[in-house]
Amino acid sequence: MREEEKQRTSQNTKLQQFFRKRWVFPAIYLMSAAVILTAVLWYQGISNDVAEDLENNDQGENISLTNEPEAVEVNALKENFAMPAIDPDAVQVVKKFYEADASAEDQEAALVFYNNTYRMNKGIDIAREDQKEFDVVASLSGTVTKAEKDPILGFVVEIEHENEVVTVYQSLAEANVQAGDKVQQNELIGKAGKNLYNEEDGIHVHFEVRQAGKAVNPLTYMDKPVTSIETAKEEAEVEEETPAEDTEAPKEDAEQSPETDKDAEKGETEGSKQSNEPEASNHTLQS
């Protein structure tokens, strides 16, 4: 027992002697500081790597989002042509669009007499029954391309829309918009007034719809979308391109007697003489 106690005592004495040395505790402190510093640096390195990974992921998501096409509202409602008056029920069409296939009576009613000349109306004229002023609004949303006063037509406003469609508003007493403005459907653009071109209609607004520079009847497309004009145009072109069926002329008609040939030659000669004479007319029609 005593030998064991002596061994333990000697071991404790050696430890005490070891810790009594001056360099022991500073070395322990340095080693502890090195371990702690290493742990801190290791933790920071892991944190930085995680942050970089997250940042790269965010940039990748942003790039993928920017490359995606702009979202388009599928259920967005298409605008239909609307009467260019703040209160459509309070106005009426006093002069219609001149149609080439209309009756003679309707064509006569669609003529404008100005400067001793009858001219075909390229739009519709809208007025109140009591001949009072009324607010004129945009028939469709679009961009104002023209807003100026004309000495004969009054204030003129032109608005550009999709599908090469332009709406024109003439005979305005004033214009509340200017070129470059973006207007919404039913937004105020001016007031109906008088002009020198069509004095007989009094206070009114002259409204035109043009597609690719060609005037079309606004009443035909009222309450219909802009695309209906393009559809009608394509259908008309298809009808024009459809070839007519060739029919064989009867042999009897093809064979003409010498007397018939002489009569035809005589008729052609008389026709050429008449065509050289000027036509006399009281009035002229200009498009």
Side-chain angles (χ1 to χ4, degrees), residues 134-155:
F134 59 91
D135 291 331
V136 178
V137 298
S139 178
L140 293 170
S141 301
T143 303
V144 179
T145 56
K146 181 179 180 180
E148 58 187 34
K149 186 175 182 180
D150 186 274
I152 298 174
L153 302 176
F155 277 96

Side-chain angles (χ1 to χ4, degrees), residues 174-188:
E174 61 182 44
N176 293 28
V177 294
Q178 56 185 356
D181 288 350
K182 301 284 186 181
V183 295
Q184 299 298 318
Q185 188 178 43
N186 295 324
E187 182 177 340
L188 179 67

Side-chain angles (χ1 to χ4, degrees), residues 17-34:
Q17 290 176 353
F18 175 78
F19 282 110
R20 284 176 182 175
K21 293 180 180 180
R22 295 180 178 179
W23 55 268
V24 172
F25 287 103
I28 294 173
Y29 293 149
L30 289 174
M31 290 177 64
S32 301

Side-chain angles (χ1 to χ4, degrees), residues 5-240:
E5 290 178 358
K6 287 180 180 181
Q7 290 178 354
R8 291 177 182 175
T9 302
S10 62
Q11 289 177 354
N12 292 335
T13 303
K14 289 179 180 180
L15 287 172
Q16 289 175 356
Q17 290 176 353
F18 175 78
F19 282 110
R20 284 176 182 175
K21 293 180 180 180
R22 295 180 178 179
W23 55 268
V24 172
F25 287 103
I28 294 173
Y29 293 149
L30 289 174
M31 290 177 64
S32 301
V35 172
I36 294 172
L37 181 61
T38 302
V40 170
L41 294 175
W42 176 76
Y43 179 76
Q44 287 181 347
I46 292 177
S47 300
N48 291 335
D49 292 340
V50 172
E52 288 179 1
D53 292 340
L54 292 175
E55 186 177 356
N56 292 333
N57 290 335
D58 292 339
Q59 290 180 353
E61 290 177 0
N62 291 334
I63 292 173
S64 62
L65 289 175
T66 54
N67 290 334
E68 290 180 0
E70 293 183 1
V72 179
E73 190 176 352
V74 177
N75 295 326
L77 295 176
K78 289 286 185 181
E79 290 180 349
N80 294 339
F81 283 98
M83 192 67 72
I86 193 68
D87 185 6
D89 296 330
V91 297
Q92 58 185 352
V93 177
V94 294
K95 193 179 294 295
K96 295 182 178 181
F97 180 87
Y98 186 94
E99 293 278 14
D101 56 352
S103 63
E105 184 180 356
D106 290 340
Q107 287 181 343
E108 184 178 352
L111 294 175
V112 179
F113 186 73
Y114 172 72
N115 197 19
N116 295 325
T117 304
Y118 284 100
R119 304 170 188 268
M120 293 179 287
N121 197 23
K122 293 298 183 180
I124 57 174
D125 297 336
I126 306 166
R128 286 174 58 105
E129 188 175 359
D130 56 10
Q131 273 293 296
K132 290 184 178 180
E133 287 189 352
F134 59 91
D135 291 331
V136 178
V137 298
S139 178
L140 293 170
S141 301
T143 303
V144 179
T145 56
K146 181 179 180 180
E148 58 187 34
K149 186 175 182 180
D150 186 274
I152 298 174
L153 302 176
F155 277 96
V156 179
V157 173
E158 295 184 4
I159 303 177
E160 189 177 42
H161 316 281
E162 60 179 331
N163 288 26
E164 297 183 278
V165 173
V166 175
T167 52
V168 182
Y169 311 79
Q170 297 175 359
S171 188
L172 299 176
E174 61 182 44
N176 293 28
V177 294
Q178 56 185 356
D181 288 350
K182 301 284 186 181
V183 295
Q184 299 298 318
Q185 188 178 43
N186 295 324
E187 182 177 340
L188 179 67
I189 60 173
K191 283 187 176 294
K194 296 180 179 180
N195 64 13
L196 297 177
Y197 180 73
N198 188 8
E199 292 181 302
E200 65 178 355
D201 284 346
I203 298 175
H204 72 285
V205 59
H206 176 77
F207 177 60
E208 293 184 12
V209 176
R210 301 174 185 169
Q211 204 278 331
K214 182 180 179 181
V216 297
N217 190 349
L219 294 179
T220 303
Y221 303 100
M222 199 61 64
D223 297 325
K224 295 180 181 179
V226 176
T227 53
S228 61
I229 296 181
E230 189 68 23
T231 303
K233 180 182 177 183
E234 291 175 357
E235 291 176 353
E237 290 176 352
V238 170
E239 290 179 0
E240 290 178 359

